[in-house]
Coordinates of all heavy atoms in Angstrom, one line a residue:
T29 N 2.2 0.7 -6.2 CA 3.5 1.3 -6.1 C 3.4 2.5 -5.2 O 2.4 3.1 -4.9 CB 4.0 1.7 -7.5 OG1 3.1 2.7 -8.0 CG2 4.0 0.5 -8.4
R30 N 4.6 3.0 -4.8 CA 4.7 4.2 -4.0 C 4.1 5.4 -4.8 O 3.4 6.3 -4.3 CB 6.1 4.5 -3.6 CG 6.2 5.8 -2.8 CD 7.4 6.0 -2.0 NE 7.3 7.1 -1.1 CZ 8.1 7.4 -0.1 NH1 9.1 6.5 0.2 NH2 7.9 8.4 0.7
A31 N 4.4 5.4 -6.1 CA 3.9 6.5 -7.0 C 2.4 6.6 -6.9 O 1.8 7.7 -7.0 CB 4.4 6.3 -8.4
Q32 N 1.7 5.4 -6.8 CA 0.2 5.4 -6.8 C -0.3 6.0 -5.5 O -1.5 6.5 -5.5 CB -0.3 4.0 -6.9 CG -0.2 3.5 -8.4 CD -0.6 2.0 -8.5 OE1 0.2 1.1 -8.2 NE2 -1.9 1.8 -8.7
L33 N 0.5 6.1 -4.4 CA -0.1 6.7 -3.2 C -0.5 8.1 -3.4 O -1.4 8.6 -2.8 CB 1.0 6.6 -2.1 CG 1.5 5.2 -1.7 CD1 2.4 5.3 -0.4 CD2 0.4 4.2 -1.4
A34 N 0.2 8.8 -4.3 CA -0.1 10.2 -4.6 C -1.5 10.4 -5.2 O -2.1 11.5 -5.2 CB 1.0 10.8 -5.5
T35 N -2.0 9.3 -5.8 CA -3.3 9.4 -6.5 C -4.4 9.1 -5.5 O -5.6 9.3 -5.8 CB -3.4 8.4 -7.6 OG1 -3.4 7.0 -7.1 CG2 -2.2 8.5 -8.6
M36 N -4.1 8.6 -4.3 CA -5.1 8.2 -3.3 C -5.6 9.4 -2.5 O -5.0 10.4 -2.4 CB -4.5 7.1 -2.4 CG -4.1 5.8 -3.2 SD -3.5 4.5 -2.0 CE -5.0 4.1 -1.1
K37 N -6.7 9.1 -1.8 CA -7.3 10.1 -0.9 C -6.4 10.2 0.3 O -6.1 9.2 0.9 CB -8.7 9.7 -0.5 CG -9.7 9.6 -1.7 CD -11.0 9.0 -1.2 CE -12.0 8.7 -2.3 NZ -13.2 8.1 -1.8
P38 N -6.0 11.4 0.8 CA -5.3 11.6 2.0 C -6.0 10.9 3.2 O -7.2 11.1 3.3 CB -5.2 13.1 2.2 CG -5.3 13.7 0.8 CD -6.3 12.7 0.1
G39 N -5.3 10.1 3.9 CA -5.9 9.4 5.1 C -6.5 8.1 4.7 O -7.1 7.5 5.6
A40 N -6.4 7.7 3.4 CA -6.9 6.4 3.1 C -6.0 5.3 3.7 O -4.9 5.6 4.2 CB -6.9 6.2 1.6
V41 N -6.5 4.1 3.8 CA -5.8 3.0 4.5 C -5.5 1.9 3.6 O -6.3 1.4 2.9 CB -6.6 2.5 5.7 CG1 -6.0 1.3 6.4 CG2 -6.9 3.7 6.7
L42 N -4.2 1.4 3.7 CA -3.8 0.1 3.1 C -3.6 -0.9 4.2 O -2.9 -0.7 5.2 CB -2.5 0.3 2.4 CG -2.4 1.3 1.2 CD1 -1.0 1.3 0.7 CD2 -3.4 0.9 0.1
V43 N -4.3 -2.0 4.1 CA -4.2 -3.2 5.0 C -3.5 -4.3 4.3 O -4.1 -4.9 3.3 CB -5.6 -3.6 5.6 CG1 -5.4 -4.8 6.6 CG2 -6.3 -2.5 6.3
D44 N -2.3 -4.6 4.6 CA -1.5 -5.6 3.9 C -1.5 -7.0 4.6 O -0.7 -7.2 5.5 CB -0.1 -5.1 3.6 CG 0.6 -5.9 2.5 OD1 0.1 -7.0 2.2 OD2 1.5 -5.3 1.9
V45 N -2.4 -7.8 4.2 CA -2.5 -9.2 4.9 C -1.4 -10.1 4.3 O -1.1 -11.1 4.9 CB -3.9 -9.8 4.7 CG1 -4.1 -11.1 5.5 CG2 -5.0 -8.8 5.1
A46 N -0.8 -9.7 3.2 CA 0.3 -10.5 2.6 C 1.7 -10.2 3.2 O 2.7 -10.6 2.7 CB 0.3 -10.3 1.1
I47 N 1.7 -9.4 4.3 CA 3.0 -9.0 4.8 C 3.9 -10.1 5.2 O 5.2 -10.0 5.1 CB 2.8 -7.9 5.9 CG1 4.1 -7.2 6.3 CG2 2.2 -8.6 7.1 CD1 4.6 -6.3 5.1
D48 N 3.4 -11.2 5.6 CA 4.2 -12.4 6.0 C 5.0 -12.8 4.8 O 6.1 -13.4 5.0 CB 3.3 -13.6 6.5 CG 3.1 -13.5 8.0 OD1 3.9 -12.9 8.7 OD2 2.1 -14.1 8.4
Q49 N 4.5 -12.6 3.6 CA 5.2 -13.0 2.4 C 5.9 -11.8 1.7 O 6.1 -11.8 0.5 CB 4.3 -13.7 1.4 CG 3.8 -15.1 1.9 CD 4.9 -16.1 2.0 OE1 4.9 -16.9 3.0 NE2 5.7 -16.2 1.1
G50 N 6.2 -10.8 2.5 CA 6.9 -9.6 2.0 C 6.0 -8.4 1.6 O 6.4 -7.3 1.4
G51 N 4.6 -8.7 1.6 CA 3.7 -7.6 1.4 C 3.4 -7.4 -0.1 O 4.3 -7.6 -0.9
C52 N 2.2 -6.9 -0.4 CA 1.8 -6.7 -1.8 C 1.7 -5.2 -2.2 O 1.2 -4.8 -3.2 CB 0.5 -7.4 -2.2 SG -0.9 -7.1 -1.2
F53 N 2.1 -4.3 -1.2 CA 2.3 -2.9 -1.5 C 3.7 -2.5 -1.4 O 4.4 -3.0 -0.5 CB 1.5 -2.0 -0.5 CG 0.0 -2.5 -0.4 CD1 -0.6 -2.6 0.9 CD2 -0.8 -2.7 -1.5 CE1 -1.9 -3.0 1.0 CE2 -2.1 -3.1 -1.4 CZ -2.7 -3.2 -0.1
E54 N 4.2 -1.7 -2.4 CA 5.6 -1.4 -2.4 C 6.1 -0.7 -1.1 O 7.3 -0.9 -0.7 CB 5.9 -0.5 -3.6 CG 7.4 -0.2 -3.8 CD 7.6 0.8 -5.0 OE1 6.7 1.3 -5.5 OE2 8.8 0.9 -5.3
T55 N 5.2 0.0 -0.5 CA 5.6 0.7 0.8 C 5.4 0.0 2.0 O 5.5 0.5 3.1 CB 4.9 2.1 0.8 OG1 3.5 1.9 0.4 CG2 5.5 3.0 -0.2

């Protein structure tokens, strides 16, 4: 979720391979 981004390390990377199906990260 977007709220979880605040718990992550600044500059960390999300790679969304599921984006063709809408993506598996809220953002």
Side-chain angles (χ1 to χ4, degrees):
T29 66
R30 179 161 190 168
Q32 285 176 273
L33 301 188
T35 71
M36 297 181 67
K37 302 172 182 176
V41 174
L42 299 177
V43 180
D44 199 338
V45 187
I47 193 64
D48 271 337
Q49 293 293 138
C52 57
F53 308 132
E54 185 181 9
T55 45

